[in-house]
Amino acid sequence: MRVAEIRHLPGLVGERVRINGWLYNSRSSGKLRFLIVRDGSGYLQAVVFRPQVSDRVWEQADGVTQESSMWVEGVVKRDERSPGGVELEVGDLGIVSLCPEYPITPKEHGVDFLLNHRHLWLRSRRQHAIMRIRNELIFAIRDFFYRRDYVCIDSPILTPAACEGTSTLFETEYFGEKAYLSQSGQLYLEPAAAAHGKVYCFGPTFRAEKSKTRRHLTEFWMVEPEVAWMRFDELCDLAEEFVSELVARVLERCQQEFAWLERDTSRLEPAASRPYPRLDYADAVAKLAGKGFAVNFGDDFGGDEETALADESGKPVMITRYPAAIKAFYMEPDPQDPSRALALDMIAPDGYGEIIGGSERIGSLELLERRIQEHSLPRQAFEWYLDVRRYGGFPHAGFGMGIERVVAWLCGLSHLREAIPYPRLLNRLYP
RNA sequence: UCCGCAGUAGCUCAAUGGUAGAGCAUCCGGCUGUUAACCGGAGGGUUGGGGGUUCGAGUCCCUCCUGCGGAGCCA
């Protein structure tokens, strides 16, 4: 007996196949049982007709419960009345493991309940679609860099001294010393850029910020390219090329998933092509003032401001040259105006917020030493980082992109918690 | 951390200070094409914990716990 995946069934009409899977839902009508079976690749309506099957098969079809693991065997038929266009005319079936009352029913559930059952929630059609899109995005990211000869240099997760404020770092014990979970791979990537030229890292990062918003997780995945000899304008080009290509690829390859999510992809299409609008920080402040926001030059932008800055067209907006005072210590000053940093934020449309933050990095050893002092950072912890300037300093630039925010934007999610398989939130570490 | 909202059946929610209910899920029965099927029946409750007001509290007050939404900060 040929074992098939449900997604291949449209090409197997007329053949007799066996499907292994789980019962997603069932409906009945007299001598008919409609079993909706899912196998991870798709959903199949398996039709059991009383006169055509044995007593044993009929009893099993009648008694199989939601999420029982099972197999069905039969002939693939084309049928307009079936969701998906094809169905299985069941000749035989077996229950592998009968499922007791399943917690997640086809009706509505609350957020807390679903998060407590995240391990089961992942089986639901909507979550299934989201994870498929996340998977496609991740593969597209790696492919983007691979085709451009970037080398993947993953950064450590356990790091020694605190690089930025300790209040947002998760602390752990490391054989009698303190260690911290990484907030960013960037500092470790810069030395690697001197080794390979074009590098990137992609891994989990951790922020112990006690924030309770739809835009924050305490553990999230970030992809960070770092490029030797790259200047600020080229960095903006790279960010734009990167995001537009990712959007185009996911749009092309995940149509089925977007349909399940009922995502209006026409809202996403503008972001699949370049260019994206670029807005100098000063112009962004002026634009916000024009919209009635009480923002002064020198302020950072909050969530509402970001949403207001996003382009009505559906394209992400790039805000450039922020005041150096509100940005990180390692950012290169703008030669035209040293009070500004060669920093870039990319803001996704429709309120999905900042998806990219990046900059050209300080090239000068003296300036970097001064900045470390100005920020009251422990100098000795940064000696290795200063070596990047000490031993053959070079201009370089890079950015970080939060994967979950991009997934949330692509999928149209109202909260980041659905964009990652097992979300880690303030007060949530289970399952 | 601050501000606001909520906690009642397995789940989602009702119930003017006066006998705790519905839908879904579960179990039983019916139906030859269902699309979160439908129809009939049954079981299912220490109303988050503690204290208080009252003849009487799911409902009002105090307190703690848990969750949700938002702010700050960020990707």
Side-chain angles (χ1 to χ4, degrees), chain A residues 50-292:
Chain A
R50 180 68 191 94
Q52 292 179 0
V53 296
S54 68
D55 290 349
R56 183 192 65 82
V57 168
W58 180 252
E59 276 166 28
Q60 299 229 316
D62 205 36
V64 65
T65 53
Q66 186 189 359
E67 286 304 323
S68 291
S69 49
M70 63 188 299
W71 55 269
V72 287
E73 241 177 63
V75 178
V76 182
K77 293 264 163 109
R78 202 174 294 287
D79 195 311
E80 295 284 317
R81 296 166 296 187
S82 177
V86 295
E87 63 183 24
L88 197 74
E89 193 177 270
V90 173
D92 196 5
L93 66 81
I95 296 171
V96 177
S97 175
L98 190 67
C99 184
E101 192 172 342
Y102 190 68
I104 299 178
T105 67
K107 279 280 183 176
E108 291 171 30
H109 297 284
V111 169
D112 188 39
F113 178 83
L114 288 171
L115 286 176
N116 282 331
H117 295 82
R118 182 57 170 170
H119 51 299
L120 301 177
W121 191 20
L122 290 172
R123 300 185 189 188
S124 302
R125 191 180 296 236
R126 176 182 165 81
Q127 302 308 312
H128 183 268
I130 294 168
M131 289 307 129
R132 292 274 168 144
I133 288 170
R134 181 188 169 102
N135 176 61
E136 188 65 41
L137 175 68
I138 289 169
F139 192 78
I141 286 167
R142 294 204 181 271
D143 194 42
F144 178 94
F145 289 128
Y146 186 80
R147 282 186 286 111
R148 287 165 178 77
D149 292 314
Y150 283 63
V151 178
C152 179
I153 300 287
D154 284 317
S155 300
I157 289 169
L158 290 167
T159 61
C163 292
E164 294 171 47
T166 50
S167 62
T168 63
L169 286 166
F170 284 106
E171 188 182 303
T172 184
E173 203 229 72
Y174 193 78
F175 304 115
E177 287 181 50
K178 280 182 182 174
Y180 303 90
L181 301 187
S182 174
Q183 286 193 316
S184 159
Q186 182 209 316
L187 300 191
Y188 289 96
L189 216 47
E190 290 182 43
H196 294 277
K198 292 181 286 186
V199 294
Y200 76 100
C201 66
F202 187 17
T205 52
F206 308 86
R207 306 263 166 108
E209 196 67 49
K210 291 199 171 178
S211 47
K212 278 185 56 130
T213 84
R214 64 184 64 194
R215 300 211 275 238
H216 291 87
L217 299 165
T218 57
E219 178 182 303
F220 65 97
W221 284 65
M222 188 152 67
V223 57
E224 299 173 87
E226 191 73 35
V227 187
W229 311 107
M230 179 172 273
R231 308 313 292 252
F232 185 66
D233 289 338
E234 299 167 287
L235 181 74
C236 296
D237 292 342
L238 177 68
E240 186 183 84
E241 186 182 354
F242 184 53
V243 175
S244 60
E245 190 171 305
L246 298 180
V247 172
R249 168 135 168 193
V250 174
L251 274 176
E252 180 195 329
R253 304 194 53 159
C254 294
Q255 289 182 16
Q256 177 69 74
E257 284 75 15
F258 283 120
W260 280 337
L261 291 170
E262 295 177 320
R263 175 65 162 135
D264 177 10
T265 52
S266 69
R267 193 61 202 154
L268 238 34
E269 268 152 25
S273 62
R274 303 171 68 181
Y276 291 171
R278 297 182 190 186
L279 206 55
D280 184 272
Y281 171 83
D283 298 328
V285 170
K287 183 176 179 182
L288 286 171
K291 290 193 172 193

